Amino acid sequence: MAFRLFVPILAGATLRERIIACIGATIGIALTGAIGGLVLGNGPHVPLLVAPMGASAVLLFAVPASPLAQPWSIVGGNTISALVGVIVAHFIHETALATGIAVALAIAAMSFTRCLHPPGGAAALTAVLGGPAVISAGFLFPFVPVALNSILLVALGYGFHKLASRNYPHVPAPVPANSHGTIDPPAQSRIGFRSEDIDAALGALEETFDIDRNDLDRLLRQVELQALVREHSTLLCEDIMSRDVISVDEHTPADRARKLLLDHNIRILPVVNSEARLAGTVGLRELALATEMVGSVISPAATATASSAAMGLLPVLTDGRSHAVIVVDDDKRILGLITQTDLLAATARLRAADKLSAEAVQ
């Protein structure tokens, strides 16, 4: 139990993520200081790197998905807070009182300008307690070096995260929308919890959480899906897939493909390349635009492996766009196909089996 104190409390924190964060912070802070020195010079009149940047780097590189670590939070939070600190120090000369008021007003200013950033509190304190260099800089201090440091750090963080294939600035996943242009909620949002349930839960808990509301919605829906997959993990794609798959190659005439769709009463056709590997799919929507070969209008295919959990296909087959998932092997050769009907039939059988099991227990 004693070692639990040393377990990361951040959800999803892994050793790999922490190593990436350390590398990013090293590069970000070092280059921010170096560039700041080139711009400002190395004289004693103004610090080339202010201490709050270290705290900003923790958020930027360790938790880049946090709303507190986004570009406007870092630049606006640090700059506005430093400006608040300078103003407070200008009018209040009692140090203890000035520090408290500076931090309090910085929190209020950041909240109203939607750039809440914890290191902003340190920026406000630095403006009050910074000593001769800060005093001599006066009202320039919030902009040079604070804003300059913040902009440089964000720019370096942006480049680093792109090179590391990480999402920054973090854009929360949009709430699923009905793809058919009607006012009904999308299929995946009609059962289970609703958006208003999240709002009610947040209101009941009376706490602030360091996660975007849309990210919270996406996380909870993924939890629901994982629980469903776990409960029915023995049902695999190979158990319910159609094995006699009607497919065409890239050089099939569009008229021939349309006739196959109609003759077999199916929604999509897998398209294979010259090596018999899956290249994509076509349906009537794509074929309506084709004048010659189907290879010119293929769409990316939703795929799965034979050993994947069948219930894991629910998000794809209920997104309003995908009508089937192609089951492929490691070489992208077609093994089977699972349609919305296949998954619906399997789900109905599972629910019937669960009901019989419950009745037997009673």
Side-chain angles (χ1 to χ4, degrees):
M1 292 294 293
F3 289 102
R4 289 181 61 83
L5 292 173
F6 301 97
V7 176
I9 60 173
L10 288 176
T14 63
L15 177 60
R16 177 182 179 276
E17 290 295 306
R18 292 297 156 258
I19 291 174
I20 291 176
C22 292
I23 295 172
T26 300
I27 297 172
I29 290 296
L31 287 180
T32 297
I35 297 172
L38 290 174
V39 174
L40 303 175
N42 293 314
H45 54 291
V46 165
L48 57 88
L49 186 65
V50 290
M53 293 305 111
S56 295
V58 173
L59 289 169
L60 175 60
F61 294 103
V63 281
S66 169
L68 307 177
Q70 301 314 298
W72 171 237
S73 296
I74 295 175
V75 176
N78 285 328
T79 305
I80 291 171
S81 296
L83 181 59
V84 167
V86 169
I87 293 172
V88 170
H90 183 75
F91 289 103
I92 301 176
H93 303 291
E94 173 59 42
T95 304
L97 181 61
T99 54
I101 291 177
V103 173
L105 291 180
I107 293 173
M110 289 187 289
S111 298
F112 281 117
T113 54
R114 300 180 65 84
C115 60
L116 192 64
H117 185 60
L125 279 178
T126 302
V128 174
L129 304 174
V134 174
I135 293 173
S136 64
F139 284 92
L140 181 64
F141 175 74
F143 306 100
V144 180
V146 176
L148 176 62
N149 283 174
S150 300
I151 292 170
L152 288 173
L153 187 64
V154 167
L156 292 167
Y158 174 83
F160 177 82
H161 287 308
K162 290 302 179 187
L163 290 175
S165 300
R166 303 172 94 191
N167 178 24
Y168 187 83
H170 179 69
V171 179
V175 176
N178 192 315
S179 61
H180 301 295
T182 62
I183 62 173
D184 289 318
Q188 63 268 41
S189 299
R190 294 176 196 167
I191 59 173
F193 67 87
R194 299 180 180 179
S195 294
E196 54 264 34
D197 297 328
I198 296 178
D199 294 331
L202 290 172
L205 291 174
E206 296 184 341
E207 290 188 53
T208 300
F209 297 91
D210 186 11
I211 183 172
D212 183 90
R213 189 193 168 286
N214 286 347
D215 283 337
L216 181 60
D217 186 305
R218 184 167 64 103
L219 174 63
L220 292 176
R221 295 194 186 280
Q222 187 64 30
V223 170
E224 278 192 329
L225 175 62
Q226 292 302 129
L228 182 63
V229 171
R230 173 177 50 78
E231 290 174 1
H232 303 293
S233 58
T234 56
L235 183 67
L236 305 179
C237 290
E238 62 185 356
D239 298 326
I240 66 172
M241 69 184 186
S242 302
R243 298 173 186 271
D244 183 16
V245 180
I246 308 298
S247 64
V248 294
D249 63 46
E250 296 174 309
H251 304 292
T252 301
D255 289 342
R256 169 65 177 159
R258 277 192 288 266
K259 186 174 187 305
L260 284 172
L261 284 171
L262 297 173
D263 288 349
H264 292 276
N265 192 27
I266 52 180
R267 304 290 295 272
I268 68 167
L269 286 170
V271 181
V272 297
N273 60 23
S274 58
E275 298 177 340
R277 291 186 172 89
L278 181 67
T281 61
V282 292
L284 289 176
R285 180 188 297 273
E286 290 85 5
L287 291 172
L289 304 174
T291 56
E292 297 181 358
M293 306 300 178
V294 299
S296 62
V297 292
I298 58 176
S299 297
T303 62
T305 63
S307 59
S308 300
M311 288 301 163
L313 305 184
L314 272 172
V316 176
L317 292 178
T318 58
D319 64 3
R321 299 182 298 273
S322 304
H323 302 294
V325 172
I326 315 301
V327 182
V328 296
D329 62 16
D330 293 339
D331 292 325
K332 293 295 184 181
R333 299 185 189 278
I334 299 173
L335 300 177
L337 180 144
I338 297 175
T339 65
Q340 294 167 321
T341 303
D342 296 328
L343 191 59
L344 179 61
T347 304
R349 289 198 301 272
L350 287 174
R351 290 188 59 86
D354 289 343
K355 183 178 180 181
L356 289 175
S357 297
E359 291 175 350
V361 172
Q362 294 175 354

